Amino acid sequence: MKLYSTNLKADEATFKTALIKGLAPDKGLYLPKELPHFSEEELNSLKNEKYPEIAFRILSKVLEGEIDDDSLREITYDAYNYDVPLEEVDNKTYIMRLDRGPTASFKDFAARMMARLMQYYLKQENKSLVILTATSGDTGSAVAHAFYGLDNIKVIVLFPETEVSDRQRKQMTTLDKNITALAMDGKFDDCQALAKQAFADDELEHLNLSSANSINIGRLIPQSIYYFYAYAKLRNYPEEIIYSIPSGNFGNMMGCVLAREMGVPIKRILASVNENDEVPVFLETGKYAKIEPSRNCLSNAMNVGHPSNLARLIAVYGGVMDEKGNISKLPDMEKLNNDISSVSVTDEETKATIRKFFEDYNISIEPHGAVGIKGLLDYRETTGDNTLAVTLETAHPAKFPAEVIAATGVDPEPPQSLKDVEAKEEFMDHLNTDYDAFKAYLKEKLE
Ligand SMILES: *Cc1c(COP(=O)(O)O)cnc(C)c1O
């Protein structure tokens, strides 16, 4: 597999380089130059397989020559040891629950695979790595859990002590072993700034710091697998399917774009967003403007005023957008609008959808999943298109109890993974946001 940078100013990279580096040297995002195609026969053969086997079959073709099949099979079975339910709403509508991983967020799908692939390549070269990541909550816990217990990789998670919920904090602090949780006396932006300064500090280069952030190609590719999975379970080739994807940074929906490029017959991709509607406006007008600062909505993991993966979407459709969001070449807007719709959903509609699904179907959803569902309902109403559709639930309702109780009056029952954390001992270090103190801490901890 060869990868190019969306800024078109960097050399081609191998998968391994793109995975370990994350960002291309020209600050662009990596995308595969070519992807394999899955035939009708191959798609139909997935029908009776379980998720980890489907993941293995897809990845062994995508990563052909990059990793041996025995190691890959071991990795996919180890990473995907939880259920992926497809819950029926009616015979045209399914909810794919991506909330059964160890941190009850769909981010587990990407983070667990990226962590294991990194470990595979590091072991080959007998190298080690330190993942330094700043988090406002969910990404940090998914990353920490994904790397937990792996050799050769240490993780340091910086989080703003007063800005995360008890449950979020406990998901990071109860792990220990190779995971260090650093509670910072500051805001998320301070944590982010400290991490950035450390990455740029020559005196820390020998520590091999890496960010594992959401733009890594090793997180994107695994996010295409569940689109094969739902298709294989619900359809027979060549019938088409619609996906509605609650979107913030658009990594999840880019996974769907890749799945379509690899041959999954997807009629339309709905990128459902909250009141941060910069993408729907762009698709409609061809003009792009970031929303700064982003709007605060109930689906807070989607409060993104400039999605980092938009550069990738534009690249797939023949355009160029740089890391600042400037478009130097417009993509093929007609083709883009033919394949993809983006629907903005208000907080009021989000709440009403949570309530409606609880009352009408006895189905419990949280704000992000509700945006996906409402986006689909709006699309159906405006187009009359009743093709079979799957909407994604990206977090467990128990991760957003206040919002769910406000809409339904019922406190959602936490999954075992969240309950287990409650009673465990917490380990964390405390620091203020002084860079010199942070640097001294890193050296003492890691040298
Ligand atoms: C991160 C996240 C999203 C948004 O995913 P993107 O890939 O950034 O579009 C949606 N829902 C939840 C619960 C998330 O944590």
Side-chain angles (χ1 to χ4, degrees):
M1 175 193 269
K2 287 265 180 291
L3 298 103
Y4 70 99
S5 161
T6 52
N7 279 350
L8 306 177
K9 291 188 185 114
D11 291 339
E12 280 177 11
T14 62
F15 177 70
K16 179 169 128 187
T17 303
L19 176 74
I20 303 291
K21 292 258 180 271
L23 207 62
D26 63 357
K27 300 204 168 89
L29 308 185
Y30 282 117
L31 266 178
K33 283 185 76 177
E34 270 175 83
L35 286 165
H37 195 270
F38 288 80
S39 66
E40 164 175 0
E41 222 179 336
E42 284 172 302
L43 287 174
N44 284 332
S45 79
L46 302 176
K47 199 163 192 73
N48 297 318
E49 300 297 345
K50 292 206 159 51
Y51 195 89
E53 181 62 24
I54 292 176
F56 167 71
R57 302 247 188 116
I58 309 299
L59 292 176
S60 77
K61 250 182 117 161
V62 176
L63 300 179
E64 201 185 336
E66 308 286 344
I67 176 169
D68 67 273
D69 274 358
D70 288 345
S71 303
L72 182 62
R73 183 174 267 120
E74 206 174 294
I75 287 176
T76 58
Y77 277 76
D78 184 51
Y80 299 128
N81 56 358
Y82 50 89
D83 289 341
V84 188
L86 284 160
E87 189 169 11
E88 184 175 315
V89 180
D90 56 44
N91 65 2
K92 290 278 177 203
T93 318
Y94 287 79
I95 298 173
M96 175 155 56
R97 292 208 173 256
L98 303 176
D99 60 352
R100 302 296 156 97
T103 73
S105 148
F106 93 98
K107 293 197 167 68
D108 288 328
F109 283 81
R112 287 171 73 77
M113 183 55 63
M114 176 182 65
R116 282 158 182 76
L117 289 170
M118 278 184 170
Q119 188 196 31
Y120 170 81
Y121 291 115
L122 288 169
K123 265 199 172 155
Q124 271 187 344
E125 296 183 6
N126 222 346
K127 283 191 178 154
S128 63
L129 197 68
V130 177
I131 304 287
L132 182 62
T133 184
T135 182
S136 55
D138 278 353
T139 303
S141 55
V143 167
H145 273 263
F147 284 97
Y148 178 56
L150 300 188
D151 314 324
N152 296 13
I153 303 177
K154 289 187 180 133
V155 179
I156 297 186
V157 193
L158 282 75
F159 64 92
E161 186 157 21
T162 56
E163 288 182 6
V164 303
S165 70
D166 282 356
R167 214 169 247 167
Q168 283 176 327
R169 188 191 65 246
K170 283 182 185 163
Q171 283 191 308
M172 298 182 271
T173 57
T174 54
L175 292 167
D176 211 27
K177 282 198 191 171
N178 59 328
I179 312 295
T180 301
L182 255 186
M184 306 301 290
D185 179 14
K187 303 183 76 62
F188 168 64
D189 291 341
D190 301 321
C191 299
Q192 181 109 310
L194 283 176
K196 277 197 174 156
Q197 202 173 342
F199 289 128
D201 190 334
D202 290 342
E203 288 173 33
L204 296 179
E205 211 186 314
H206 63 290
L207 298 180
N208 249 336
L209 301 176
S210 172
S211 78
N213 65 14
S214 66
I215 51 84
N216 195 299
I217 189 70
R219 284 177 66 167
L220 189 61
I221 289 174
Q223 289 179 170
S224 65
I225 296 165
Y226 35 78
Y227 299 104
F228 283 85
Y229 166 84
Y231 181 80
K233 296 289 166 192
L234 298 173
R235 269 290 196 235
N236 283 311
Y237 200 88
E239 293 171 279
E240 292 183 312
I241 191 168
I242 289 173
Y243 283 111
S244 180
I245 307 159
S247 298
N249 263 320
F250 282 66
N252 201 358
M253 86 80 80
M254 267 313 292
C256 194
V257 171
L258 298 188
R260 172 194 254 148
E261 292 207 318
M262 290 189 270
V264 180
I266 296 168
K267 181 166 191 192
R268 187 164 278 273
I269 299 173
L270 306 177
S272 300
V273 298
N274 60 27
E275 294 171 29
N276 291 282
D277 62 353
E278 65 280 359
V279 174
V281 170
F282 169 63
L283 289 181
E284 201 174 310
T285 64
K287 296 205 169 59
Y288 181 69
K290 302 178 205 180
I291 297 177
E292 285 177 308
S294 59
R295 296 171 186 146
N296 267 330
C297 298
L298 289 176
S299 46
N300 59 24
M302 302 179 352
N303 291 340
V304 180
H306 173 46
S308 48
N309 277 290
L310 197 55
R312 282 190 168 122
L313 180 66
I314 286 175
V316 167
Y317 285 85
V320 181
M321 173 191 253
D322 71 12
E323 69 280 3
K324 297 192 184 82
N326 300 315
I327 298 177
S328 57
K329 182 175 175 223
L330 262 185
D332 183 339
M333 294 303 290
E334 195 183 318
K335 188 160 190 311
L336 196 49
N337 276 304
N338 251 332
D339 292 348
I340 294 163
S341 302
S342 191
V343 189
S344 169
V345 174
T346 65
D347 272 359
E348 280 313 308
E349 292 170 323
T350 303
K351 279 188 247 177
T353 306
I354 297 174
R355 188 176 313 117
K356 179 178 163 53
F357 268 64
F358 188 71
E359 285 172 0
D360 293 0
Y361 305 106
N362 197 23
I363 289 177
S364 182
I365 51 172
E366 53 69 61
H368 305 81
V371 169
I373 289 173
K374 178 64 176 154
L376 172 65
L377 298 180
D378 283 0
Y379 167 79
R380 280 185 175 155
E381 201 175 301
T382 47
T383 61
D385 182 354
N386 263 326
T387 305
L388 178 114
V390 174
T391 109
L392 276 52
E393 176 52 292
T394 47
H396 193 283
K399 291 195 96 170
F400 297 89
E403 292 79 0
V404 175
I405 294 169
T408 65
V410 177
D411 193 359
E413 171 80 8
Q416 197 58 41
S417 60
L418 294 184
K419 280 189 202 158
D420 286 347
V421 153
E422 293 300 320
K424 283 193 187 152
E425 190 182 349
E426 292 192 69
F427 304 90
M428 67 187 123
D429 291 330
H430 295 264
L431 275 185
N432 62 29
T433 55
D434 172 57
Y435 181 69
D436 290 334
F438 175 59
K439 183 171 170 176
Y441 176 89
L442 289 180
K443 290 179 106 168
E444 158 143 17
K445 184 102 194 159
L446 301 169
E447 269 173 1

